[in-house]
Amino acid sequence: MALDISERKQAERVLNQLKAMIDISLDGFWIVDLEGNVLQVNEAYAKISGYSVDELEGMHASQLEAIEESEQIKAHMAKAVAMGYEQFETRLLHKNGHTITIEVSATFLPEFQQFCVFCRDITKRKLMEDELKASELKFRSIIEACPVPMALNDEHLNITFLNPAFVQTFGYSVNDIPTLADWRQKAYPDPDYRHWVETAWQAVLEKANQEQTECLPMEADIHCNNNRIKTVLLTAATIHHSFTGEHLVTLYDITPRKQIEAKFNAIFAASVEGIITYDMSDVIVSANAAVEAIFGYKPEDLVGCNINKLMPASPKEMSDGDSSQAAESIGQIQEIEGVHKDGSAVPLDLSIAEFSIENEHYFTHIVRDVSLRKHREQQDKEHLDELAHVTRLGLMGEMASGIAHEVNQPLAAISSYTQVSLNLINVGHPDLAKLAEILYKTQQQALRAGRIIHRMREFVKSHAKQRSTADLNTLIHEAVGLCIDELKQNNVRLTFELENNLPSISVDQIQIEQVLINLIRNSVEALQNLPPERQRHLTINSRLVPNNVIRVRVKDNGPGLDEHQKQHILTPFYTTKSDGMGMGLSISRSLIEAHEGALHFNSKPGKGTTFYFTLPSQRKT
């Protein structure tokens, strides 16, 4: 019996040719029978699996499978038999134990009742896909959680994504604005403004594309779904390499900042103080309207000029580059002189603020014209000088009898010494040595009387305020010298507690003596109210206290002050004396404060009173 096997032979030739091609293929290749036994593999599959060709031939498909059970393998084979073809992904168990993701394509060959299986290692591709999915998920999670409004558009200008912050801020969903055209129609209802935004935004994108740089922010006003208007900074990031494709657009809501800026600009424009900002090169970058009233220049005329044009000796320039000294001036109010447009000097109160914007450093000078205040201060000082002169005349009137007695002593001594000198001259052979001694004593008494009169004359005469360097202990002794007779007449025991080597002070010496005399006489008058048997004590103390300040205390053991007297003792026109004017202590306090000091007191009924004042010394810190 003869069988025609020509077709079979033809199929075998085709199969052999196919095997030859498969042997050089980079993809893995199996031939598997209906039972799942591996009949033949190529070298590519051996490399993928880690087994040799000899090891693989004869193995069952289930031995190579990492995740699928026998039933699943049979299901794939059944489908390939039924459909003629099956494609799926699975995991291959490598010889060394790790798994490999493969893509399987199986074809059933009915003539041979076998499966022709191709497989490709897609482990790296799957890993990249997984990473891409994770990255996409992370990206989407970030922009969804981001509090800044964001929108994504594709290359066809369709809006594909809006994050929750966008919807919450502007009130539009993707259904409301499916395309950029829909968005612009609603966000910029005014046609002219919409055209400006579109033109400006396109220019920003093109510039970024040409220069291969980030898209610079652009400011725009957006109409929200609730008819409110928000100001935003628009910026875009490209999704692809070209700015003509997809964009992630970020819309920073700067409405609160713009509102604050508007308030500050209103304050800036309406402020009565001049506000001038300049950079590290001392070039003015802005000035408000108030500078015109202070310096005579319009604000726009000052932009670009050097700050020295207005303030040649501001603290920054006076520091001579000393950063620590310049830092100390920040936030402090200082007095300087500015220069008006007409060349005249303008007294100013100056405070300096320092700040940085985008790594650029700036200073702001806030200045106030204090010409009127200075004029009033000068008038107040002149008035104080006049009042001080009047009170000095009153003091001298009250002290007249004591001073007359003080002057009368050297005059009586001069008269006696003169008579003795005449008697010696009338002797036949006068004792010249003795005569010279008596004449010397006469001269000393005359000088003493002259000094008393000179001191009285200087004390009572009206004079312009003139400060000079003085020793406070010397002034204390001078003041006591003018009151010494009152101290003696009232049996007051005077004690000095003066610190040696005190630093010098810069004061109007006559005015400080006036304060001392007033405090001494007040204590003497208070001590007059003590019983005769009680000792009257007056102590004058001087010492250096912290911050290089000198403190002087005048303390008595008199009856002290009650609560009512304490509350009013420094008030003008209040007096505890029957014939007093009530101006002495008030003027004394004004004189001390004019010397940048302070006058205070402590008192307890029955324990006495202590008045003390402070004056700054000339010692440097």
Side-chain angles (χ1 to χ4, degrees):
M1 179 178 176
L3 296 174
D4 184 3
I5 60 172
S6 57
E7 291 184 1
R8 179 178 174 185
K9 287 293 184 180
Q10 180 66 24
E12 286 178 350
R13 284 195 295 271
V14 173
L15 183 60
N16 289 333
Q17 290 176 354
L18 181 61
K19 287 179 179 179
M21 294 174 62
I22 289 171
D23 283 340
I24 63 172
S25 174
L26 297 177
D27 290 335
F29 174 75
W30 312 359
I31 292 179
V32 183
D33 63 17
L34 290 174
E35 302 299 324
N37 298 310
V38 178
L39 303 178
Q40 188 176 352
V41 297
N42 67 349
E43 288 290 340
Y45 186 77
K47 289 181 180 179
I48 294 173
S49 66
Y51 294 96
S52 67
V53 173
D54 292 337
E55 289 174 322
L56 288 168
E57 291 178 352
M59 292 179 70
H60 193 272
S62 62
Q63 293 177 274
L64 300 170
E65 180 60 50
I67 59 173
E68 292 191 352
E69 302 292 336
S70 297
E71 294 301 320
Q72 292 173 291
I73 296 173
K74 290 178 180 179
H76 289 305
M77 296 173 69
K79 185 175 181 181
V81 171
M83 304 294 295
Y85 181 82
E86 166 71 328
Q87 187 173 16
F88 59 93
E89 290 181 7
T90 186
R91 302 292 292 259
L92 173 69
L93 184 62
H94 194 273
K95 183 179 180 179
N96 66 9
H98 72 271
T99 59
I100 301 168
T101 304
I102 59 173
E103 185 178 65
V104 178
S105 298
T107 303
F108 179 62
L109 303 174
E111 297 87 351
F112 300 97
Q113 293 295 295
Q114 294 174 351
F115 297 94
C116 178
V117 182
F118 286 90
C119 63
R120 177 174 294 175
D121 184 354
I122 60 170
T123 305
K124 291 183 178 178
R125 190 188 79 187
K126 292 295 290 184
L127 181 61
M128 292 177 62
E129 288 177 356
D130 291 342
E131 290 178 349
L132 184 61
K133 289 179 180 178
S135 178
E136 182 182 357
L137 180 61
K138 182 178 180 181
F139 170 75
R140 184 172 289 270
S141 299
I142 290 172
I143 62 176
E144 284 185 348
C146 181
V148 178
M150 293 183 179
L152 189 65
N153 69 271
D154 61 17
E155 63 272 19
H156 303 295
L157 305 184
N158 296 311
I159 295 177
T160 59
F161 174 78
L162 300 174
N163 72 341
F166 186 103
V167 178
Q168 183 178 0
T169 302
F170 305 112
Y172 299 111
S173 66
V174 174
N175 294 330
D176 299 322
I177 47 173
T179 69
L180 283 180
D182 295 317
W183 160 249
R184 290 167 178 167
Q185 188 77 22
K186 293 184 177 182
Y188 317 115
D190 181 77
D192 293 334
Y193 187 73
R194 181 167 62 251
H195 176 72
W196 175 85
V197 171
E198 291 174 350
T199 304
W201 182 242
Q202 190 61 36
V204 167
L205 294 178
E206 289 177 358
K207 182 178 180 181
N209 187 33
Q210 291 169 2
E211 299 179 0
Q212 294 297 307
T213 59
E214 294 182 358
C215 179
L216 296 177
M218 188 187 90
E219 188 174 307
D221 291 331
I222 290 177
H223 283 252
C224 303
N225 203 18
N226 59 5
N227 293 323
R228 290 185 179 179
I229 297 176
K230 290 186 179 291
T231 304
V232 301
L233 281 180
L234 292 166
T235 186
T238 181
I239 304 302
H240 298 302
H241 295 296
S242 173
F243 271 88
T244 59
E246 296 185 59
H247 294 95
L248 177 65
V249 181
T250 305
L251 304 91
Y252 295 92
D253 184 4
I254 59 171
T255 307
R257 193 190 80 186
K258 296 296 289 185
Q259 292 172 343
I260 293 172
E261 285 180 359
K263 291 179 182 178
F264 276 114
N265 287 335
I267 295 170
F268 181 77
S271 174
V272 295
E273 285 88 5
I275 303 175
I276 306 158
T277 299
Y278 60 97
D279 59 22
M280 289 296 291
S281 300
D282 294 341
V283 176
I284 297 172
V285 296
S286 68
N288 69 340
V291 299
E292 185 173 2
I294 298 172
F295 297 103
Y297 296 98
K298 292 184 179 297
E300 57 269 23
D301 296 336
L302 292 174
V303 175
C305 298
N306 195 292
I307 189 66
N308 291 344
K309 183 174 184 177
L310 302 178
M311 287 165 277
S314 69
K316 183 174 180 290
E317 284 70 39
M318 290 188 292
S319 65
D320 295 327
D322 185 343
S323 58
S324 61
Q325 186 176 346
E328 289 179 1
S329 65
I330 303 298
Q332 302 294 322
I333 297 178
Q334 301 163 72
E335 291 187 2
I336 67 166
E337 277 196 351
V339 179
H340 194 273
K341 186 177 182 180
D342 61 12
S344 61
V346 183
L348 303 170
D349 272 355
L350 166 69
S351 60
I352 304 175
E354 184 179 10
F355 61 94
S356 295
I357 299 178
E358 297 180 351
N359 296 324
E360 293 291 332
H361 210 61
Y362 297 94
F363 295 92
T364 293
H365 279 191
I366 303 171
V367 295
R368 172 176 290 184
D369 184 353
V370 293
S371 301
L372 291 177
R373 191 190 77 194
K374 288 291 184 182
H375 179 67
R376 287 196 298 268
E377 286 178 357
Q378 183 60 36
Q379 288 182 322
D380 291 343
K381 289 177 181 177
E382 292 174 357
H383 183 58
L384 180 60
D385 288 340
E386 293 174 359
L387 286 175
H389 179 234
V390 170
T391 56
R392 284 198 299 275
L393 291 175
L395 280 173
M396 293 308 296
E398 295 174 1
M399 297 164 61
S401 61
I403 292 174
H405 180 266
E406 189 72 11
V407 175
N408 189 54
Q409 287 182 339
L411 292 178
I414 291 171
S415 177
S416 298
Y417 290 144
T418 304
Q419 185 59 51
V420 171
S421 299
L422 289 173
N423 292 338
L424 287 174
I425 292 172
N426 292 329
V427 176
H429 298 285
D431 187 343
L432 296 180
K434 190 172 184 179
L435 179 61
E437 180 184 352
I438 294 173
L439 290 175
Y440 175 77
K441 291 181 179 180
T442 304
Q443 180 195 32
Q444 292 302 308
Q445 292 298 320
L447 291 174
R448 178 187 170 194
R451 282 195 298 271
I452 295 172
I453 294 171
H454 175 75
R455 196 159 64 238
M456 290 169 51
R457 185 170 174 272
E458 285 296 314
F459 186 73
V460 298
K461 77 176 182 180
S462 178
H463 68 291
K465 185 176 180 181
Q466 182 177 1
R467 294 196 181 190
S468 59
T469 300
D471 177 75
L472 190 52
N473 288 343
T474 301
L475 297 182
I476 291 172
H477 284 291
E478 292 285 345
V480 169
L482 288 172
C483 300
I484 194 67
D485 191 70
E486 286 189 73
L487 294 169
K488 292 178 180 177
Q489 289 179 5
N490 290 282
N491 296 319
V492 177
R493 179 182 176 184
L494 177 63
T495 303
F496 290 106
E497 295 177 353
L498 308 180
E499 184 174 326
N500 295 325
N501 301 317
L502 288 175
S504 57
I505 54 176
S506 177
V507 294
D508 184 313
Q509 298 186 35
I510 296 298
Q511 291 184 351
I512 300 304
E513 284 186 20
Q514 178 178 350
V515 172
L516 288 164
I517 290 171
N518 191 64
L519 297 180
I520 293 169
R521 295 195 72 251
N522 283 350
S523 292
V524 170
E525 291 177 359
L527 291 170
Q528 290 174 352
N529 296 321
L530 290 181
E533 67 276 5
R534 187 173 171 185
Q535 178 64 58
R536 299 168 180 177
H537 292 289
L538 178 62
T539 303
I540 302 178
N541 172 283
S542 68
R543 63 172 299 183
L544 184 66
V545 295
N547 299 322
N548 290 317
V549 171
I550 299 177
R551 185 186 65 199
V552 176
R553 294 192 303 178
V554 179
K555 179 180 180 181
D556 64 63
N557 65 331
L561 302 172
D562 58 33
E563 290 302 320
H564 177 77
Q565 291 171 330
K566 288 179 183 179
Q567 293 178 9
H568 298 87
I569 193 67
L570 297 178
T571 304
F573 306 113
Y574 177 81
T575 180
T576 59
K577 307 172 188 176
S578 59
D579 56 350
M581 295 175 58
M583 291 297 293
L585 284 174
S586 176
I587 290 176
S588 294
R589 182 171 66 174
S590 298
L591 292 175
I592 292 299
E593 289 175 351
H595 285 79
E596 301 172 11
L599 174 66
H600 303 282
F601 69 92
N602 289 319
S603 183
K604 290 184 178 180
K607 299 292 185 179
T609 302
T610 300
F611 278 91
Y612 58 96
F613 62 85
T614 57
L615 291 171
S617 72
Q618 292 183 306
R619 177 181 292 176
K620 294 182 179 180
T621 304

